[in-house]
């Protein structure tokens, strides 16, 4: 009970701070007021392991529960489809992007010595972002996180503290027209069960 109260208090402090901070004012996102999602995900272990794909892409692998739990609780029209990197057997699952491969090549970063280390973060808020790519609009749902350790990591390699100037985040999925959200949850649960059986 006390632990839950402390976690909720910490989230309120973070959200209050982020609302008055000028860093967040210029972003092109919408904060979603869905406290049931935040209350659930702040109970998850907010840390992960730094990993790298063969092409150089650097990320922190986090618990798959961040996506699974959020998808079950988001109240939205249509359905929210989890990202392919989450549903694919060869995907990297739930994660926080840290460095893109092109950044590493441009800055001649050929080796990341921190691979395998644990990094912590704090979930700040649930957001949506509308992307327009190839004349197609996509609405993404994501969990924005504060990650000072990841900012320091990027800076230690001579990069800006944030990836493309945006807050670090965990992508939850993209919203599309169609079946009710409840049906989408059933689909997600089936996919999670299939992945667990295959593992």
């Amino acid at each position: 009970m006390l632990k839950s109260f402390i976690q909720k208090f910490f989230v309120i402090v973070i959200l209050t701070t982020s609302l008055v901070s000028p860093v967040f004012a210029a972003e092109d996102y919408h904060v979603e007021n869905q406290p049931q999602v935040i209350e659930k995900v702040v109970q998850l272990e907010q840390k992960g392991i730094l990993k790298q794909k063969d092409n150089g892409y650097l990320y922190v692998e986090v618990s798959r529960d961040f996506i699974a739990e959020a998808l079950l609780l988001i109240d939205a029209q249509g359905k929210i489809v989890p990202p392919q990197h989450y549903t694919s057997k060869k995907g990297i699952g739930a994660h926080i992007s840290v460095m893109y491969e092109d950044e590493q090549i441009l800055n001649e970063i050929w080796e990341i010595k921190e691979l395998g280390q644990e990094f912590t973060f704090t979930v700040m808020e649930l957001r949506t972002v509308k992307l327009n790519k190839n004349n197609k609009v996509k609405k993404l749902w994501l969990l924005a996180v504060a990650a000072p350790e990841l900012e320091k990591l990027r800076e230690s390699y001579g990069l800006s503290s944030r990836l493309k100037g945006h807050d670090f985040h965990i992508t939850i999925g993209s919203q599309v027209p169609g079946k009710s959200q409840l049906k989408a949850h059933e689909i997600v649960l089936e996919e999670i069960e299939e992945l667990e059986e295959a593992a």
Side-chain angles (χ1 to χ4, degrees):
M1 183 77 171
L2 180 61
K3 184 179 176 185
S4 177
F5 173 78
I6 292 169
Q7 287 174 331
K8 286 179 184 176
F9 176 77
F10 189 69
V11 168
I12 290 167
V13 170
I14 292 288
L15 288 175
T16 304
T17 306
S18 69
L19 290 174
V20 296
S21 171
V23 173
F24 299 94
E27 299 285 349
D28 53 354
Y29 60 80
H30 177 73
V31 177
E32 298 290 340
N33 183 21
Q34 300 208 21
Q36 74 280 7
V37 176
I38 298 300
E39 286 173 14
K40 184 68 176 180
V41 296
V42 297
Q43 294 175 31
L44 301 172
E45 198 168 41
Q46 299 193 26
K47 61 184 179 180
I49 303 297
L50 189 68
K51 295 190 173 186
Q52 189 171 37
K53 289 179 71 173
D54 291 339
N55 66 0
Y57 174 76
L58 192 69
Y59 65 99
V60 171
E61 182 180 65
V62 302
S63 170
R64 295 176 64 81
D65 290 341
F66 280 99
I67 296 177
E69 298 292 343
L71 280 172
L72 291 172
L73 296 172
I74 289 174
D75 181 18
Q77 294 182 335
K79 62 180 178 177
I80 300 173
V81 180
Q84 191 172 2
H85 59 254
Y86 175 76
T87 56
S88 168
K89 290 179 184 177
K90 293 183 179 180
I92 58 177
H95 68 278
I96 300 168
S97 299
V98 179
M99 275 185 216
Y100 291 135
E101 52 273 28
D102 59 342
E103 290 185 287
Q104 294 171 55
I105 294 167
L106 284 170
N107 294 278
E108 300 206 11
I109 303 167
W110 306 116
E111 187 178 345
I112 304 291
K113 58 184 180 291
E114 294 83 1
L115 288 178
Q117 289 183 20
E118 189 174 85
F119 286 82
T120 60
F121 57 91
T122 305
V123 173
M124 296 189 298
E125 56 199 11
L126 180 67
R127 298 178 181 173
T128 52
V129 178
K130 287 182 183 173
L131 300 178
N132 193 336
K133 190 175 180 181
N134 299 328
N135 292 325
K136 289 184 180 178
V137 177
K138 195 176 198 180
K139 185 174 181 180
L140 292 180
W141 286 74
L142 50 90
L143 290 170
V145 303
E149 292 177 359
L150 294 180
E151 290 184 13
K152 287 178 186 169
L153 173 71
R154 284 180 55 82
E155 289 170 352
S156 74
Y157 286 94
L159 302 174
S160 61
S161 60
R162 297 179 181 194
L163 195 59
K164 294 191 173 182
H166 296 291
D167 291 320
F168 292 104
H169 65 273
I170 302 166
T171 302
I172 302 302
S174 52
Q175 187 172 351
V176 296
K179 301 172 186 171
S180 71
Q181 191 56 31
L182 180 62
K183 185 62 179 171
H185 292 159
E186 291 168 2
I187 293 166
V188 170
L189 286 173
E190 285 173 16
E191 288 172 347
I192 292 168
E193 287 168 6
E194 285 172 12
L195 287 167
E196 286 173 352
E197 286 171 11

mmCIF file of all heavy atoms in Angstrom, residues 95-110:
data_model
loop_
_atom_site.group_PDB
_atom_site.id
_atom_site.type_symbol
_atom_site.label_atom_id
_atom_site.label_comp_id
_atom_site.label_asym_id
_atom_site.label_seq_id
_atom_site.Cartn_x
_atom_site.Cartn_y
_atom_site.Cartn_z
ATOM 1 N N HIS A 95 11.159 -1.868 -26.255
ATOM 2 C CA HIS A 95 12.493 -1.275 -26.119
ATOM 3 C C HIS A 95 12.449 0.247 -26.159
ATOM 4 O O HIS A 95 11.446 0.840 -26.528
ATOM 5 C CB HIS A 95 13.409 -1.776 -27.247
ATOM 6 C CG HIS A 95 13.014 -1.271 -28.595
ATOM 7 N ND1 HIS A 95 12.025 -1.861 -29.345
ATOM 8 C CD2 HIS A 95 13.446 -0.195 -29.315
ATOM 9 C CE1 HIS A 95 11.872 -1.198 -30.478
ATOM 10 N NE2 HIS A 95 12.729 -0.166 -30.484
ATOM 11 N N ILE A 96 13.571 0.843 -25.796
ATOM 12 C CA ILE A 96 13.798 2.282 -25.903
ATOM 13 C C ILE A 96 14.949 2.474 -26.884
ATOM 14 O O ILE A 96 16.042 1.944 -26.666
ATOM 15 C CB ILE A 96 14.173 2.892 -24.530
ATOM 16 C CG1 ILE A 96 13.059 2.656 -23.510
ATOM 17 C CG2 ILE A 96 14.500 4.380 -24.671
ATOM 18 C CD1 ILE A 96 13.465 2.955 -22.074
ATOM 19 N N SER A 97 14.723 3.212 -27.958
ATOM 20 C CA SER A 97 15.794 3.497 -28.922
ATOM 21 C C SER A 97 16.810 4.431 -28.267
ATOM 22 O O SER A 97 16.444 5.388 -27.596
ATOM 23 C CB SER A 97 15.229 4.178 -30.173
ATOM 24 O OG SER A 97 14.296 3.335 -30.807
ATOM 25 N N VAL A 98 18.106 4.145 -28.515
ATOM 26 C CA VAL A 98 19.171 4.944 -27.908
ATOM 27 C C VAL A 98 20.042 5.626 -28.969
ATOM 28 O O VAL A 98 20.313 6.821 -28.881
ATOM 29 C CB VAL A 98 20.050 4.089 -26.981
ATOM 30 C CG1 VAL A 98 21.174 4.921 -26.366
ATOM 31 C CG2 VAL A 98 19.207 3.447 -25.881
ATOM 32 N N MET A 99 20.482 4.865 -29.980
ATOM 33 C CA MET A 99 21.293 5.430 -31.067
ATOM 34 C C MET A 99 20.930 4.752 -32.367
ATOM 35 O O MET A 99 20.779 3.523 -32.403
ATOM 36 C CB MET A 99 22.790 5.169 -30.848
ATOM 37 C CG MET A 99 23.531 6.109 -29.994
ATOM 38 S SD MET A 99 25.303 5.658 -30.012
ATOM 39 C CE MET A 99 25.728 6.045 -28.325
ATOM 40 N N TYR A 100 20.800 5.565 -33.423
ATOM 41 C CA TYR A 100 20.586 4.998 -34.744
ATOM 42 C C TYR A 100 21.930 4.670 -35.380
ATOM 43 O O TYR A 100 22.945 5.308 -35.073
ATOM 44 C CB TYR A 100 19.804 5.970 -35.636
ATOM 45 C CG TYR A 100 18.369 6.164 -35.206
ATOM 46 C CD1 TYR A 100 17.806 7.433 -35.156
ATOM 47 C CD2 TYR A 100 17.570 5.079 -34.845
ATOM 48 C CE1 TYR A 100 16.481 7.622 -34.773
ATOM 49 C CE2 TYR A 100 16.257 5.262 -34.457
ATOM 50 C CZ TYR A 100 15.722 6.530 -34.417
ATOM 51 O OH TYR A 100 14.416 6.702 -34.025
ATOM 52 N N GLU A 101 21.920 3.709 -36.274
ATOM 53 C CA GLU A 101 23.163 3.277 -36.915
ATOM 54 C C GLU A 101 23.828 4.393 -37.709
ATOM 55 O O GLU A 101 25.060 4.498 -37.734
ATOM 56 C CB GLU A 101 22.930 2.031 -37.786
ATOM 57 C CG GLU A 101 21.803 2.136 -38.792
ATOM 58 C CD GLU A 101 20.420 1.765 -38.273
ATOM 59 O OE1 GLU A 101 20.148 1.918 -37.062
ATOM 60 O OE2 GLU A 101 19.591 1.334 -39.096
ATOM 61 N N ASP A 102 23.032 5.265 -38.359
ATOM 62 C CA ASP A 102 23.635 6.347 -39.151
ATOM 63 C C ASP A 102 24.382 7.345 -38.262
ATOM 64 O O ASP A 102 25.417 7.887 -38.658
ATOM 65 C CB ASP A 102 22.593 7.057 -40.023
ATOM 66 C CG ASP A 102 21.445 7.671 -39.235
ATOM 67 O OD1 ASP A 102 21.249 7.287 -38.067
ATOM 68 O OD2 ASP A 102 20.753 8.538 -39.792
ATOM 69 N N GLU A 103 23.889 7.574 -37.040
ATOM 70 C CA GLU A 103 24.600 8.453 -36.096
ATOM 71 C C GLU A 103 25.970 7.886 -35.767
ATOM 72 O O GLU A 103 26.958 8.614 -35.673
ATOM 73 C CB GLU A 103 23.846 8.546 -34.766
ATOM 74 C CG GLU A 103 22.551 9.285 -34.751
ATOM 75 C CD GLU A 103 22.025 9.369 -33.330
ATOM 76 O OE1 GLU A 103 21.561 8.347 -32.806
ATOM 77 O OE2 GLU A 103 22.089 10.461 -32.757
ATOM 78 N N GLN A 104 26.008 6.574 -35.584
ATOM 79 C CA GLN A 104 27.263 5.928 -35.206
ATOM 80 C C GLN A 104 28.280 5.997 -36.346
ATOM 81 O O GLN A 104 29.455 6.262 -36.114
ATOM 82 C CB GLN A 104 26.989 4.484 -34.787
ATOM 83 C CG GLN A 104 26.158 4.401 -33.512
ATOM 84 C CD GLN A 104 25.702 2.994 -33.210
ATOM 85 O OE1 GLN A 104 26.516 2.090 -33.116
ATOM 86 N NE2 GLN A 104 24.407 2.800 -33.070
ATOM 87 N N ILE A 105 27.816 5.789 -37.564
ATOM 88 C CA ILE A 105 28.719 5.841 -38.717
ATOM 89 C C ILE A 105 29.237 7.262 -38.921
ATOM 90 O O ILE A 105 30.441 7.479 -39.081
ATOM 91 C CB ILE A 105 28.016 5.314 -39.991
ATOM 92 C CG1 ILE A 105 27.723 3.812 -39.828
ATOM 93 C CG2 ILE A 105 28.880 5.557 -41.230
ATOM 94 C CD1 ILE A 105 26.774 3.246 -40.863
ATOM 95 N N LEU A 106 28.334 8.250 -38.895
ATOM 96 C CA LEU A 106 28.735 9.648 -39.083
ATOM 97 C C LEU A 106 29.746 10.105 -38.033
ATOM 98 O O LEU A 106 30.642 10.887 -38.321
ATOM 99 C CB LEU A 106 27.508 10.567 -39.042
ATOM 100 C CG LEU A 106 26.622 10.578 -40.284
ATOM 101 C CD1 LEU A 106 25.334 11.338 -40.017
ATOM 102 C CD2 LEU A 106 27.357 11.207 -41.468
ATOM 103 N N ASN A 107 29.581 9.617 -36.813
ATOM 104 C CA ASN A 107 30.466 10.024 -35.717
ATOM 105 C C ASN A 107 31.568 9.006 -35.424
ATOM 106 O O ASN A 107 32.260 9.121 -34.412
ATOM 107 C CB ASN A 107 29.631 10.286 -34.455
ATOM 108 C CG ASN A 107 28.721 11.483 -34.626
ATOM 109 O OD1 ASN A 107 29.142 12.618 -34.471
ATOM 110 N ND2 ASN A 107 27.470 11.230 -34.991
ATOM 111 N N GLU A 108 31.676 8.007 -36.315
ATOM 112 C CA GLU A 108 32.706 6.968 -36.198
ATOM 113 C C GLU A 108 32.712 6.302 -34.823
ATOM 114 O O GLU A 108 33.745 6.153 -34.173
ATOM 115 C CB GLU A 108 34.076 7.536 -36.558
ATOM 116 C CG GLU A 108 34.087 8.059 -37.989
ATOM 117 C CD GLU A 108 35.469 8.055 -38.622
ATOM 118 O OE1 GLU A 108 36.400 7.457 -38.047
ATOM 119 O OE2 GLU A 108 35.597 8.635 -39.705
ATOM 120 N N ILE A 109 31.521 5.900 -34.392
ATOM 121 C CA ILE A 109 31.367 5.158 -33.139
ATOM 122 C C ILE A 109 31.297 3.676 -33.524
ATOM 123 O O ILE A 109 30.259 3.188 -33.954
ATOM 124 C CB ILE A 109 30.085 5.591 -32.386
ATOM 125 C CG1 ILE A 109 30.120 7.105 -32.124
ATOM 126 C CG2 ILE A 109 29.923 4.816 -31.083
ATOM 127 C CD1 ILE A 109 28.803 7.694 -31.667
ATOM 128 N N TRP A 110 32.396 2.982 -33.390
ATOM 129 C CA TRP A 110 32.460 1.605 -33.882
ATOM 130 C C TRP A 110 32.265 0.566 -32.793
ATOM 131 O O TRP A 110 32.056 -0.601 -33.074
ATOM 132 C CB TRP A 110 33.793 1.365 -34.598
ATOM 133 C CG TRP A 110 34.036 2.376 -35.680
ATOM 134 C CD1 TRP A 110 35.032 3.290 -35.734
ATOM 135 C CD2 TRP A 110 33.238 2.604 -36.860
ATOM 136 N NE1 TRP A 110 34.909 4.071 -36.860
ATOM 137 C CE2 TRP A 110 33.822 3.673 -37.573
ATOM 138 C CE3 TRP A 110 32.081 2.024 -37.364
ATOM 139 C CZ2 TRP A 110 33.295 4.161 -38.770
ATOM 140 C CZ3 TRP A 110 31.563 2.505 -38.559
ATOM 141 C CH2 TRP A 110 32.161 3.557 -39.244
#
